[in-house]
């Protein structure tokens, strides 16, 4: 399973990339609105230069005539850019046109396996079910991931399920067990995956004990 970061924050992206666990990044207009003093294009290019993997950048046009040229322009920012398009009639039509040109699409705001199937059929490379937002509405968000993975596997569809809107480390485990090839996580969720109180106390204890034997060996006369 590949892990992506769901953020437009370059500091967080660089930090996680240095740990060797980052395979890509997803952004959206809401995440970008948190970044001040930088254009969307410049930030996406900066991310592409920091991470060698798919970097999703979202389009906002609401007609096919506007969305297709916007997506072509976004795709031209960098070879690693994946164009993120919300699923609806306009999104599907644009996706079928753009994927035929070889542009990679991440179909976003997916809330059902039916939407996932339509997105895959239109030619999207990545399909993003929003698990947390479904959970918030009282549904089992992970069920969409499970069903979509099963459908794509059963029919050998090349589209990849990108589990999104993950809110806590348990979501990541469940997405992995469901067979999602990719999960995109907020920085805080990735750090929560890493941390364990027993690791912290274990490191502290080993450090303390190593200091005590270093002291002991320092006391021993040389040559003994
Ligand atoms: O990748 C989609 C993600 O950004 C949505 O997350 O937490 O806003 O539902 P959230």
């Amino acid at each position: 399973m590949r892990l992506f970061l769901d953020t437009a924050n370059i500091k967080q992206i660089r930090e996680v990339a240095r740990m060797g666990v980052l395979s890509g990044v997803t952004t959206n207009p809401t995440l970008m609105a948190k970044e001040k003093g930088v254009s969307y294009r410049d930030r996406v290019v900066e991310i592409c230069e920091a991470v060698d993997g798919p970097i999703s950048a979202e389009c906002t046009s609401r007609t096919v005539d506007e969305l297709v040229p916007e997506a072509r322009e976004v795709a031209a920012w960098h070879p690693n850019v994946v164009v993120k398009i919300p699923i609806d009639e306009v999104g599907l039509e644009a996706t079928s046109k753009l994927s035929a040109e070889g542009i990679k699409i991440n179909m976003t705001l997916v809330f059902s396996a039916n939407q996932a199937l339509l997105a895959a059929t239109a030619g999207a490379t990545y399909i993003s079910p929003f698990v947390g937002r479904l959970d918030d509405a009282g549904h089992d968000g992970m069920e969409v991931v499970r069903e979509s993975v099963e459908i794509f596997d059963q029919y050998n569809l090349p589209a990849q399920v990108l589990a999104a809107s993950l809110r806590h480390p348990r979501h990541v485990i469940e997405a992995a067990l469901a067979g999602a090839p990719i999960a995109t996580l907020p920085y805080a969720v990735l750090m929560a995956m890493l941390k364990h109180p027993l690791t912290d106390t274990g490191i502290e204890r080993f450090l303390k004990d190593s200091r005590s034997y270093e002291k002991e060996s320092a006391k021993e006369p040389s040559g003994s």
Side-chain angles (χ1 to χ4, degrees):
M1 182 193 224
R2 292 187 292 159
L3 299 177
F4 289 10
L5 262 194
D6 193 30
T7 182
N9 184 294
I10 193 70
K11 200 169 151 265
Q12 293 175 350
I13 291 166
R14 291 208 169 107
E15 183 188 329
V16 176
R18 280 196 299 272
M19 292 188 241
V21 296
L22 191 56
S23 299
V25 174
T26 51
T27 66
N28 64 36
T30 306
L31 295 169
M32 194 54 213
K34 296 179 187 162
E35 304 298 309
K36 305 292 171 208
V38 63
S39 71
Y40 199 1
R41 181 187 187 284
D42 287 355
R43 177 49 52 88
V44 168
V45 171
E46 210 176 350
I47 297 170
C48 289
E49 281 162 5
V51 180
D52 187 20
I55 311 301
S56 291
E58 191 151 343
C59 288
T60 51
S61 297
R62 299 305 307 135
T63 65
V64 176
D65 286 347
E66 289 165 332
L67 183 52
V68 169
E70 185 193 356
R72 287 186 186 129
E73 191 192 321
V74 170
W77 289 350
H78 191 281
N80 287 357
V81 167
V82 170
V83 179
K84 214 170 172 190
I85 294 179
I87 185 158
D88 61 3
E89 295 89 330
V90 167
L92 285 179
E93 188 175 335
T95 295
S96 66
K97 285 194 161 81
L98 294 160
S99 61
E101 295 173 17
I103 293 175
K104 288 195 171 138
I105 308 297
N106 174 359
M107 192 121 254
T108 190
L109 288 166
V110 168
F111 291 99
S112 72
N114 276 319
Q115 288 181 324
L117 179 57
L118 288 169
T121 306
T125 303
Y126 305 101
I127 318 286
S128 293
F130 275 29
V131 174
R133 291 193 195 182
L134 276 166
D135 286 359
D136 292 346
H139 301 283
D140 175 7
M142 206 54 73
E143 185 62 15
V144 179
V145 173
R146 280 191 288 270
E147 289 180 345
S148 304
V149 167
E150 202 177 324
I151 292 165
F152 294 0
D153 282 354
Q154 191 156 344
Y155 294 98
N156 290 318
L157 297 175
Q160 295 180 56
V161 175
L162 195 165
S165 183
L166 302 183
R167 301 275 170 75
H168 48 73
R170 191 68 216 165
H171 268 158
V172 185
I173 292 171
E174 285 168 11
L177 290 172
I182 308 166
T184 189
L185 334 170
Y187 172 82
V189 173
L190 189 131
M191 294 313 280
M193 285 170 73
L194 173 62
K195 294 293 171 193
H196 197 289
L198 290 175
T199 305
D200 295 342
T201 53
I203 289 174
E204 226 169 87
R205 174 82 189 270
F206 285 151
L207 266 178
K208 192 166 154 266
D209 291 345
S210 78
R211 278 187 218 111
S212 76
Y213 69 67
E214 277 160 15
K215 256 188 242 153
E216 286 306 312
S217 60
K219 273 193 233 156
E220 284 170 21
S222 61
S224 65

